[in-house]
Amino acid sequence: MGYARACSVALVGVESVVVEVQADLEPGVAAFTLVGLPDKSLIESRDRVRAAVVNSGAEWPQKKLTVGLSPASVPKSGSGFDLAVACAVLGAAERLDPAAIADVVMIGELGLDGRVRPVRGVLPAVLAAAEAGYQQVVVPEQTAGEAALVPGVSVLGVRSLRQLIAILCDEPVPDEPVDDRGRPDAMLAGLMVPGTGLGAGLASPQGEGHTPDLADVAGQPRPRKALEVAAAGGHHLLFSGPPGAGKTMLAERLSAVLPPLTRQESLEVTAVHSVAGILPPGEPLVSRAPYCAPHHSATMQSLVGGGNGMPRPGAVSLAHRGILFLDEAPEFSGKALDALRQPLESGHVVVARAAGVVRLPARFLMVLAANPCPCGRHSLTGAGCECPPSVVRRYQARLSGPLLDRVDLRVEVEPVDRADLLEQGGRGESTAVVAARVREARTRAAERLAGTPWTTNSEVPGHELRTRLLAAPGALAAAERDLERGILTARGLDRVLRVAWTVADLRGAPRPEDRDIAVALELRTGIQRGAPMEMGAL
């Protein structure tokens, strides 16, 4: 009787569980039994592993073989267990030393010819292995760079099973031919999920090779300033106005204004995108804020996560630490929009399904773009809007009050006049100039919030704003009057304070004054208060 074990990792959402792969050989009729709650793709690994072992020059044991995946109570899916199953079987058959593979985590899919194919979710899998105390990891060669992002773990990238057998047995490592005929690498196909689309990926909103610049936007000083405030403090933003005014154009330029991701944020984003299958090959670490723009026909499951079986990350998780842009927001279903309330407050989403409960990260900056009515001409003088008042009210009511209460900045985007469109008034500030001010403001906020779990003003709880991070004396008088009149809710007052701190950071002021509160109130309520909003005034 022979016994051996290796280790692999099971993905549960974007979290991972280390799984012990045990192989047991007993005398009897040759059979291969796989137990431990495997799904269909994992059950099929029996045939893949057998063919890969034989085609790699090793002998398949002609005995009763039982492979157990422990803990057996955790559902397991995917083809990433193939490499660990093959090594456990070879260890039980004494082709490999069982002690050499007992504490090695192995992740990878096997082809019938023995090649090791990459799989999704390598980074969160290696992170889970490191947290569990494992120090050696074997992954496909194509994902070795992604696995090497985890400190304290020795990563071995292999191209085939025969290479791994030779390394473990201290034998000469065979060379594997590389397909250099100019075709796309078929081995990378397992890393990308078909149908994810550019809107959920890391490509520029305008396409590859093009970086949108704020200087391309004609006029619009108030929306531009709101965009800068949103980027500096991480505040949610609503653009409303007629078609063609530049709402989408402004939103597409927000990602370039945001500062680069920190190391911890990059690891979080990379882990989510690796699990979702949208991590670009050759880019093991995401350094830019992601930009996700789902179509208005998106379902609630595609926005917050879900699907058949174990829930998968949705658009709010793909936009983690980045931007979620909902163009034509009133056209989204009310059920889908209201599902955004909880992640907007907590920074994560909990998806409960029959297969399990998954907690997915979802700390994003939401940008909404909406027309005033179905035809879009309601706010234009003499434009001939034919929408009845009841239709206009129903259309605007699709954005519910509780959802809008979580939006810090609400800005009306006016049509561009001829002078601005023909640049007779000069071009506005470029993205580089605005991004520099945003970085300085975020640095001031980070220094002020050092030693706390928060990094941006939008994350600070209202209690802290009212007790420890106080505004200048008398600065809140206007906000308090709006609260008494019912213009602001208690949550709205806290959000006004957060925006005021961001405005003060952009000015370089030590704390918000009455002018900062006036700017924050004007950006939230839309009521003109004489606050200086021209370019560079903050």
Side-chain angles (χ1 to χ4, degrees):
M1 181 175 69
Y3 171 83
R5 66 183 178 90
C7 294
S8 190
V9 179
L11 290 174
V12 182
V14 296
E15 300 175 350
S16 305
V17 178
V18 177
V19 173
E20 190 175 271
V21 181
Q22 305 167 345
D24 178 73
L25 285 174
E26 296 180 356
V29 179
F32 189 170
T33 304
L34 183 64
V35 297
L37 285 185
D39 72 341
K40 182 65 175 177
S41 61
L42 188 49
I43 291 176
E44 293 175 350
S45 68
R46 296 179 299 184
D47 300 317
R48 291 194 301 269
V49 169
R50 182 187 294 109
V53 168
V54 173
N55 291 328
S56 297
E59 183 179 354
W60 183 260
Q62 298 299 318
K63 296 181 180 180
K64 181 182 179 181
L65 171 62
T66 303
V67 174
L69 307 176
S70 179
S73 59
V74 176
K76 303 164 189 73
S77 61
S79 56
F81 295 87
D82 290 2
L83 196 59
V85 170
C87 289
V89 172
L90 292 175
E94 299 182 352
R95 176 64 177 89
L96 299 176
D97 182 8
I101 63 174
D103 294 322
V104 180
V105 175
M106 302 180 183
I107 306 166
E109 175 187 336
L110 286 176
L112 299 184
D113 56 354
R115 290 183 299 170
V116 180
R117 302 179 64 93
V119 294
R120 297 178 288 111
V122 168
L123 178 59
V126 178
L127 284 170
E131 292 175 359
Y134 293 89
Q135 299 179 349
Q136 293 181 315
V137 177
V138 178
V139 298
E141 187 180 55
Q142 292 85 349
T143 58
E146 183 181 345
L149 297 174
V150 182
V153 176
S154 176
V155 178
L156 173 63
V158 295
R159 192 175 299 169
S160 66
L161 179 61
R162 63 177 63 90
Q163 280 188 344
L164 180 57
I165 294 174
I167 293 172
L168 293 175
C169 296
D170 199 15
E171 299 173 355
V173 180
D175 292 331
E176 296 292 342
V178 179
D179 188 0
D180 56 356
R181 287 176 284 184
R183 297 181 302 187
D185 190 356
M187 298 290 285
L188 298 175
L191 296 177
M192 300 293 290
V193 175
T196 53
L198 290 177
L202 297 176
S204 168
Q206 292 287 340
E208 292 291 341
H210 176 78
T211 302
D213 198 307
L214 265 176
D216 300 334
V217 180
Q220 306 295 2
R222 190 179 301 272
R224 287 170 62 102
K225 188 54 61 178
L227 201 74
E228 181 178 342
V229 173
H235 306 288
H236 305 305
L237 176 61
L238 167 64
F239 284 136
S240 58
K247 302 185 295 295
T248 303
M249 192 175 185
L250 285 161
E252 289 174 344
R253 280 146 181 79
L254 180 57
S255 58
V257 178
L258 292 176
L261 300 177
T262 64
R263 174 75 178 186
Q264 180 61 33
E265 291 171 347
S266 296
L267 290 176
E268 293 175 7
V269 175
T270 303
V272 175
H273 287 215
S274 178
V275 170
I278 61 174
L279 191 64
E283 294 185 24
L285 185 66
V286 179
S287 59
R288 296 182 299 157
Y291 176 88
C292 186
H295 191 258
H296 59 76
S297 61
T299 62
M300 184 186 70
Q301 289 76 13
S302 67
L303 281 181
V304 300
N308 296 327
M310 191 59 66
R312 295 173 57 88
V316 296
S317 298
L318 301 182
H320 181 60
R321 300 295 182 185
I323 300 166
L324 177 66
F325 176 48
L326 303 182
D327 200 4
E328 305 294 345
E331 300 294 341
F332 283 80
S333 70
K335 187 178 180 181
L337 289 175
D338 288 338
L340 299 177
R341 298 183 195 176
Q342 184 247 342
L344 285 174
E345 285 288 328
S346 62
H348 64 267
V349 59
V350 178
V351 183
R353 296 290 185 270
V357 180
V358 174
R359 184 179 185 271
L360 302 170
R363 187 168 295 281
F364 55 89
L365 195 164
M366 182 179 69
V367 181
L368 304 174
N371 293 328
C373 67
C375 75
R377 300 190 296 270
H378 178 68
S379 60
L380 298 178
T381 303
C385 175
E386 298 179 354
C387 299
S390 58
V391 174
V392 175
R393 285 195 301 269
R394 281 197 301 269
Y395 186 80
Q396 295 178 352
R398 293 181 182 179
L399 298 179
S400 64
L403 177 64
L404 290 180
D405 199 33
R406 290 167 169 83
V407 178
D408 302 339
L409 312 172
R410 309 172 193 174
V411 181
E412 186 74 23
V413 182
E414 302 291 342
V416 182
D417 57 26
R418 179 177 57 86
D420 289 332
L421 192 60
L422 299 179
E423 297 184 1
Q424 295 178 2
R427 300 187 70 188
E429 291 179 320
S430 65
T431 296
V433 175
V434 177
R437 285 202 300 266
V438 168
R439 285 195 298 270
E440 293 176 1
R442 287 218 174 191
T443 301
R444 294 188 187 97
E447 292 174 352
R448 181 174 62 254
L449 299 174
T452 68
W454 318 297
T455 56
T456 60
N457 293 322
S458 63
E459 301 173 6
V460 182
H463 177 73
E464 293 289 323
L465 295 171
R466 295 189 299 271
T467 57
R468 191 170 67 88
L469 301 175
L470 299 177
L476 290 176
E480 292 171 354
R481 286 195 299 269
D482 284 358
L483 181 64
E484 293 175 354
R485 295 170 182 171
I487 300 176
L488 286 179
T489 62
R491 180 192 288 120
L493 178 62
D494 290 342
R495 292 187 175 273
V496 166
L497 288 173
R498 293 167 185 161
V499 174
W501 271 106
T502 302
V503 175
D505 289 335
L506 287 170
R507 288 198 304 115
R511 59 179 177 175
E513 301 174 359
D514 52 357
R515 60 183 295 188
D516 304 317
I517 298 294
V519 171
L521 286 171
E522 187 167 332
L523 289 176
R524 180 172 178 85
T525 63
I527 301 174
Q528 301 292 330
R529 301 170 187 268
M533 296 293 292
E534 65 273 7
M535 298 307 301
L538 298 184

